[in-house]
Amino acid sequence: MPEVKMPTIEKASKTGFCFGVRQAINLLEKVARERAGVGRQHAGVETLGAVVHNQQVLQKLSEIGVRVVNSIEDIKGDIVVTSSHGVSPDLEEKIRARHIDVISTTCHDVRRAQAAAEKLAESEFFLIVYGDADHPEVKGILGWAQGKGLATTDEKAVAALDPLPRRLGILSQTTQVPAHFAEFAKKIIDLALTKNSEIHIIDTICHDLRERQAAALELAHRADLMLVVGGRSSANTNRIAELCSRVTETHLIETADDIQPAWLKGKKHIGVTSGASTAEDTVDEVMKRLENLS
Ligand code: SF4
């Protein structure tokens, strides 16, 4: 019988929660525990939108009394927690106007992008956010520019501005791929650098994601199968999966149960990585199932 060689199973050097998500969850757990079962009408705590885009994490949080509400009108208690993606100052003001306290878990990298947007708007720059216009983080950043801006990943949307503002400020959603942002910024320079124009580019990509993407890509180059563990609705997880899929066969999975044994057939080197809102335990369960299946 020929010897069957087991595949190498390797975890990327950066997986599990990023510091921003870890910090948001710690704070939320603390607030939920303090408010649990103390006889208030609405014990537990509500979050405005999902605090992270990961079903397994949200399920665990719901077990300690964390409830997700999708609009201000749905908040029942006297306190609400906003997500690590941050919110616009307008939205925060609207919540407070309803006599509801706001606990912010905005990650400091997102806060840095918000502060940059605010400063650019104050200096009369029209803001261009390289990112997904429907993402809560991007909506929040634009809100800090007092609405003087747009969000897009397509330079044609900027070219269509009539007139093209003389002063343009360009920054990025924190979870974008650095090389893609640089390409976009170059295209804006090409189309906007005319007489008297002024362009201010600020790199607001998150440091953790920069390292995570690089580690995932390095592993993807050596592997013949990559599994990216994270929420299907998580922007950063999808971006890592997309990057890896350019290099090797890649599947985005939410849990170990999503692994299809057929994927492993004939594979020699299987790489595992995760999005920034995936718990390390979930990654370890994936590693364990892979070892059992191999
Ligand atoms: S991915 Fe980066 S910006 Fe987003 S929460 Fe984590 S550390 Fe903050």
Side-chain angles (χ1 to χ4, degrees), residues 17-22 24 51-52 84-85 105-111 137 173-175 204-210 212 236 275-277:
F17 292 145
C18 64
F19 65 84
V21 167
R22 176 78 272 162
V51 79
V52 292
S84 53
H85 299 126
T105 65
T106 309
C107 168
H108 73 70
D109 275 2
V110 175
R111 186 65 203 110
E137 178 198 315
Q173 180 179 4
T174 55
T175 51
T204 49
I205 291 174
C206 154
H207 190 62
D208 178 289
L209 284 180
R210 204 182 277 270
R212 192 178 292 259
N236 78 78
S277 46

Side-chain angles (χ1 to χ4, degrees), residues 178-198:
H180 298 177
F181 175 52
E183 241 170 72
F184 174 81
K186 278 182 207 146
K187 286 179 186 161
I188 303 300
I189 291 172
D190 285 346
L191 75 91
L193 207 58
T194 55
K195 205 175 161 205
N196 283 334
S197 56
E198 212 177 317

